[in-house]
Amino acid sequence: MNARERLEKLPQNWRFKRLSSLANSYAGGTPDRSKPEYFDGDIPWVKSGEVNRRKITYTEEGISEIGLSESAAKIAESGSVLVAMYGATAGKVARLKIDAAINQAVLSIRTIGDELDNDFLFWVIESSAEKLLSMCQGAAQPNLSKGLIDGLEIATPPLPEQQKIAAILTAVDDKLDMIARQIEVTQALKQGLMQTLFSRGVGTQDATGRWMPHTEFKDSELGEIPEGWLITTLGAICNGALQTGPFGSQLHAAEYQNEGVPVLMPKDLLKCRANLSTAARIAPARAEELAKHKLVAGDLLFSRRGDVARFALIDERSSGALCGTGCLKAKPSEGYSSAYIAHLLQLDVVRAWLEQNAVGQTMPNMNTGILASLPLVTPANKQEQEAIADILDSVDTKTGLLFSKQLHFQTLKRGLMQKLLTGEWRVKLDSPSGTA
């Protein structure tokens, strides 16, 4: 699109302007690390990795007044927009909420005059980050520059409209922050419940069906557990029913197609469930020839290489798929709850055991013999196993709803940024804050 076409697409009272005419920008520096007196001071000091937080209210390190004065570090004022210029976080953008010094990998941008709102600028830079990174040349890891960012042309509406657009997008961002905190709290709740439930259980049921807490305990490889619980292995729980998926010589890449029966591989094991949307597929007739690799609800599917602690519990939705190359299938016997085992497998101590006992020098590998020896603990009573699984399932359900909500607002934000920052959608300046 040429300059004339771009201008014609803008609303009548919007203008394209170069960022350098609307804002000042500068990077900072790092005091000499060999001089301890330059550090541990009261001046917050922002490094590029911290820009990933998007809202900076504190820093990991502080520098001293002498560290500031005898280095290239510079103070950025609260309200400035910070951009990470190189490293793993290149292109990330944050709003600075405190006065702080910055290092050489961070560019501070602050508006001058009254033509550009600082909060609006944050959203413009964030929406332009991908474009800026694509313009970088040469190195495997993209490096932005002050000149590249200063040369950015941005579409600027009148100031009141900028402020309203920024308020709408910030309201959505605040909602996403709240959801992220709820997810964090719910995940922490599950971790606490897991530690309690897999060490104390829920108890035994009396004649009225009430759960009475366990009173006697014993030690196990996974920690203290109720006296009546079993110390066992995955192989014993599965009665030896562990099986590898078909090898490459049995199922060739040329057989995969867009439709048909899903074949699950390690990449398709996501958040302890099978992700059918990413699975390769084969013709139904070919799947019948590999029927011994068919999965049913209650099976456990493990990654055989790489992240060997990665697994999925097969549910009704993924039942009928095949155990693919690079996976191991385990089938708990009738006296055990697969849901209980799936939650147990998420314990850090269990994951650590799998990682430590994998074989191979270049890439960790798992086999049926090692997997069968995985130590596990379980209530002897299946009802208690199911009660524990139900409690943890309810927390997972809540987490899943929160992730769905998060995805909805992330999609909403992307759409609003695209429409509002280009003028395709206009805001009503007399409408309540946070509405378009």
Side-chain angles (χ1 to χ4, degrees):
M1 185 184 299
N2 60 37
R4 182 185 181 87
E5 290 172 327
R6 291 169 65 212
L7 285 170
E8 288 175 350
K9 281 183 171 291
L10 278 184
Q12 189 173 12
N13 56 349
W14 285 44
R15 296 290 182 270
F16 273 115
K17 295 190 177 181
R18 193 176 295 271
L19 181 60
S20 59
S21 69
L22 300 168
N24 286 328
S25 68
Y26 54 86
T30 300
D32 187 342
R33 286 281 187 186
S34 68
K35 298 185 177 181
E37 65 270 23
Y38 286 176
F39 289 88
D40 296 325
D42 296 329
I43 302 172
W45 181 59
V46 182
K47 303 186 290 292
S48 60
E50 295 175 285
V51 177
N52 204 37
R53 296 204 302 262
R54 300 186 73 247
K55 187 184 295 182
I56 298 176
T57 58
Y58 66 93
T59 60
E60 296 167 357
E61 287 188 273
I63 60 174
S64 64
E65 289 286 353
I66 189 172
L68 176 65
S69 63
E70 297 187 4
S71 74
K74 293 182 179 68
I75 293 290
E77 293 180 20
S78 176
S80 300
V81 176
L82 302 185
V83 182
M85 292 196 292
Y86 49 86
T89 54
K92 296 296 182 181
V93 188
R95 281 178 278 197
L96 185 62
K97 295 297 184 179
I98 55 173
D99 290 346
I102 55 176
N103 78 358
Q104 66 278 5
V106 176
L107 189 74
S108 170
I109 311 171
R110 191 169 181 85
T111 59
I112 52 177
D114 57 2
E115 293 185 71
L116 184 62
D117 177 75
N118 242 50
D119 286 337
F120 180 79
L121 172 62
F122 166 81
W123 290 107
V124 170
I125 298 293
E126 182 163 87
S127 70
S128 305
E130 188 174 332
K131 173 187 172 183
L132 289 168
L133 287 171
S134 70
M135 295 166 64
C136 297
Q137 301 290 326
Q141 196 170 59
N143 292 336
L144 296 176
S145 68
K146 170 178 161 57
L148 189 64
I149 294 172
D150 283 347
L152 183 68
E153 287 198 339
I154 60 177
T156 56
L159 194 63
E161 193 168 351
Q162 293 179 36
Q163 293 166 338
K164 185 60 181 295
I165 290 170
I168 292 169
L169 294 174
T170 299
V172 178
D173 225 20
D174 289 344
K175 182 70 173 179
L176 281 166
D177 284 345
M178 183 185 73
I179 295 169
R181 288 193 296 271
Q182 291 174 332
I183 290 172
E184 186 178 347
V185 168
T186 307
Q187 290 177 327
L189 170 65
K190 182 178 178 182
Q191 287 299 312
L193 282 172
M194 287 171 68
Q195 293 298 327
T196 300
L197 291 171
F198 291 128
S199 62
R200 315 304 289 180
V202 293
T204 56
Q205 286 180 298
D206 63 14
T208 65
R210 288 190 310 164
W211 289 100
M212 306 300 292
H214 295 290
T215 57
E216 296 182 2
F217 299 88
K218 63 185 177 183
D219 290 329
S220 78
E221 192 168 340
L222 302 185
E224 189 177 69
I225 59 173
E227 181 65 38
W229 280 29
L230 305 176
I231 299 173
T232 184
T233 62
L234 183 63
I237 285 173
C238 296
N239 284 334
L242 280 79
Q243 176 187 329
T244 59
F247 291 94
S249 58
Q250 298 170 285
L251 184 58
H252 300 283
E255 299 183 68
Y256 295 125
Q257 55 189 44
N258 293 330
E259 297 181 354
V261 178
V263 181
L264 298 173
M265 300 182 194
K267 67 177 177 61
D268 307 312
L269 312 184
L270 184 67
K271 295 180 180 177
C272 309
R273 291 293 185 273
N275 183 14
L276 297 181
S277 66
T278 60
R281 294 174 182 268
I282 59 173
R286 179 67 172 121
E288 283 300 315
E289 296 174 6
L290 297 168
K292 72 174 184 176
H293 299 292
K294 184 177 179 180
L295 298 161
V296 298
D299 284 350
L300 295 164
L301 194 61
F302 293 83
S303 172
R304 192 161 58 87
R305 56 177 178 263
D307 182 2
V308 293
R310 192 172 185 169
F311 80 96
L313 172 63
I314 302 302
D315 53 20
E316 293 295 341
R317 187 180 59 86
S318 51
S319 179
L322 295 184
C323 170
T325 302
C327 286
L328 292 165
K329 178 176 72 171
K331 183 184 293 295
S333 56
E334 192 63 31
Y336 297 95
S337 162
S338 295
Y340 169 86
I341 303 301
H343 286 295
L344 188 62
L345 289 168
Q346 296 173 53
L347 280 177
D348 289 342
V349 64
V350 176
R351 294 179 57 84
W353 188 96
L354 288 166
E355 291 164 356
Q356 291 165 7
N357 285 272
V359 295
Q361 294 182 342
T362 56
M363 178 182 289
N365 278 272
M366 185 61 59
N367 58 45
T368 54
I370 298 171
L371 192 58
S373 65
L374 172 65
L376 297 175
V377 296
T378 174
N381 186 314
K382 190 174 181 180
Q383 283 70 38
E384 186 177 5
Q385 298 174 30
E386 291 172 341
I388 291 171
D390 286 344
I391 293 169
L392 296 174
D393 281 344
S394 67
V395 182
D396 281 348
T397 298
K398 182 178 180 180
T399 305
L401 292 172
L402 287 170
F403 275 121
S404 296
K405 194 174 181 181
Q406 184 182 57
L407 180 61
H408 166 74
F409 278 96
Q410 287 170 339
T411 304
L412 174 64
K413 188 176 86 168
R414 284 194 297 270
L416 285 172
M417 289 174 69
Q418 173 64 31
K419 302 294 186 182
L420 295 176
L421 295 174
T422 60
E424 186 175 344
W425 285 359
R426 305 298 299 277
V427 297
K428 297 177 182 178
L429 297 180
D430 58 346
S431 64
S433 177
T435 61

